[in-house]
Amino acid sequence: MATEAMSAKPIRLAIVGVGKIARDQHLPAIANDPRFELVAAVSRNAVVDGVDNYHDIAELLAAGHELDAVSLCTPPVGRSAIAMTALDAGLDVMMEKPPAATLSEVARIEAHAVAAGRSLFATWHSREAAGVAPARAWLADRKVQRVAIAWREDIRRWHPGQDWILEAGGFGVFDPGINALSIATEILPGDWVVNNADLHVPEGRMSPLAADIDLTCGDIPVTAAFDFLHEGPQQWDIVVETDGGTLKLSMGGAVLDIDGKVTEATDAEYPGLYAKFADLVGSRSSDVDVTPLRLVADAFLVGRRTIVPAFEW
């Protein structure tokens, strides 16, 4: 179904999974990028106006649309089968974070993409935040002494009624927390290790609502505090102390503060992701970095679980 020469024509795209993140971020980014043409949507519970809508990817493919690519915005559990079905159909694939429920699934999808000769993009939207690239450049010339991550937000505000996020494979507080890890591993490339973790799991649920993690990047100590029940002002901060001053990324990477000099820019995370996907499709290449997912998996493996009171919406 995919065409090999798309330089003169927009990439004909279907979006799979029409939830909050798709409506808030993906659909506006697609609409504002002339390199893409949204031709269909797939969802069990929602529709996108102005395009054909289908219940599942099999129904989409059976309809015979002229398609080049799909953007997968479903929950991570079950995404592997959808991705491989799309690749088998000759489509390029972009995946919302986290790319799949397990590292093995990501490896399988990536191998499938290589065999099919298609482009695969495992996205980390927070890496596109305005302050991330300049933070990495500033840190490259300095000796980092320690890092502190504080990622605290309200699950009821950002994921109302979404029980899947607290089930097995739903990641719990690591659904937002993995965004922090994606930024940290981008601005400080190196050998990251999870040393230990404390996971607070509500009674009757499978995934934690809070976590405290001790990590290292090479010989740099890193602490991370994740909280999914944080009311009031939301907090998405990374503080990096160096021999040449202190760097702070706040608001999820949108605001960069270096020793009191603050730079703030408008949100361009998802437009940046789609620009990268267009480049990958055009060059017939892929971008699959599992480092943030590996750290989350390690935290689940070594984490000490404490059962806390039941969570209700």
Side-chain angles (χ1 to χ4, degrees):
M1 299 177 90
T3 59
E4 294 297 326
M6 291 182 283
S7 58
K9 295 181 179 179
I11 298 168
R12 296 165 298 193
L13 183 75
I15 192 165
V16 182
V18 184
K20 180 175 172 56
I21 194 67
R23 293 197 182 279
D24 289 353
Q25 302 291 347
H26 287 263
L27 292 176
I30 295 166
N32 290 322
D33 193 327
R35 290 166 292 188
F36 292 93
E37 177 190 357
L38 184 66
V39 299
V42 175
S43 176
R44 291 176 296 180
N45 305 304
V47 298
V48 175
D49 294 337
V51 300
D52 292 330
N53 289 268
Y54 300 94
H55 183 264
D56 56 38
I57 192 166
E59 189 177 86
L60 166 70
L61 296 175
H65 280 284
E66 297 264 342
L67 277 178
D68 301 305
V70 292
S71 180
L72 306 186
C73 306
T74 60
V77 171
R79 190 182 295 163
S80 175
I82 299 170
M84 289 191 292
T85 298
L87 292 166
D88 285 341
L91 303 178
D92 299 307
V93 174
M94 173 172 163
M95 300 185 293
E96 176 60 76
K97 65 85 192 173
T102 70
L103 290 163
S104 296
E105 285 186 345
V106 180
R108 188 181 180 202
I109 297 167
E110 186 174 14
H112 223 65
V114 171
R118 309 315 310 172
S119 294
L120 178 65
F121 186 20
T123 69
W124 300 105
H125 66 80
S126 291
R127 288 181 172 177
E128 301 301 314
V132 173
R136 176 174 173 142
W138 188 83
L139 291 169
D141 297 327
R142 289 162 176 84
K143 180 175 176 56
V144 176
Q145 296 166 333
R146 64 187 58 85
V147 180
I149 301 169
W151 224 253
R152 300 182 174 99
E153 62 178 69
D154 187 352
I155 187 175
R156 294 182 175 92
R157 175 176 174 182
W158 301 104
H159 297 277
Q162 295 180 28
D163 281 310
W164 65 265
I165 208 167
L166 292 176
E167 297 305 316
F171 286 68
V173 74
F174 288 101
D175 180 80
I178 204 170
N179 295 332
L181 297 175
S182 74
I183 294 175
T185 54
E186 177 71 8
I187 63 176
L188 291 173
D191 295 325
W192 282 80
V193 175
V194 175
N195 300 310
N196 56 70
D198 290 303
L199 311 178
H200 303 276
V201 182
E203 182 179 359
R205 304 283 186 168
M206 301 300 293
S207 293
L209 273 171
D212 294 295
I213 314 168
D214 170 34
L215 312 96
T216 49
C217 175
D219 61 354
I220 303 167
V222 181
T223 59
F226 299 154
D227 182 4
F228 224 172
L229 291 176
H230 184 70
E231 299 179 352
Q234 307 289 274
Q235 182 182 21
W236 304 287
D237 296 343
I238 299 176
V239 177
V240 184
E241 296 181 24
T242 81
D243 61 349
T246 299
L247 177 149
K248 179 179 180 181
L249 282 167
S250 57
M251 295 305 295
V255 179
L256 174 62
D257 180 336
I258 299 176
D259 288 334
K261 183 180 179 180
V262 179
T263 304
E264 184 173 359
T266 56
D267 175 28
E269 293 180 11
Y270 282 84
L273 290 181
Y274 278 93
K276 282 192 172 182
F277 187 41
D279 290 342
L280 291 171
V281 171
S283 63
R284 298 261 47 91
S285 54
S286 294
D287 183 345
V288 182
D289 177 16
V290 298
T291 305
L293 180 59
R294 176 173 55 80
L295 295 179
V296 170
D298 288 351
F300 272 99
L301 280 170
V302 304
R304 296 178 293 270
R305 286 163 174 76
T306 300
I307 302 301
V308 298
F311 169 79
E312 301 296 339
W313 295 104

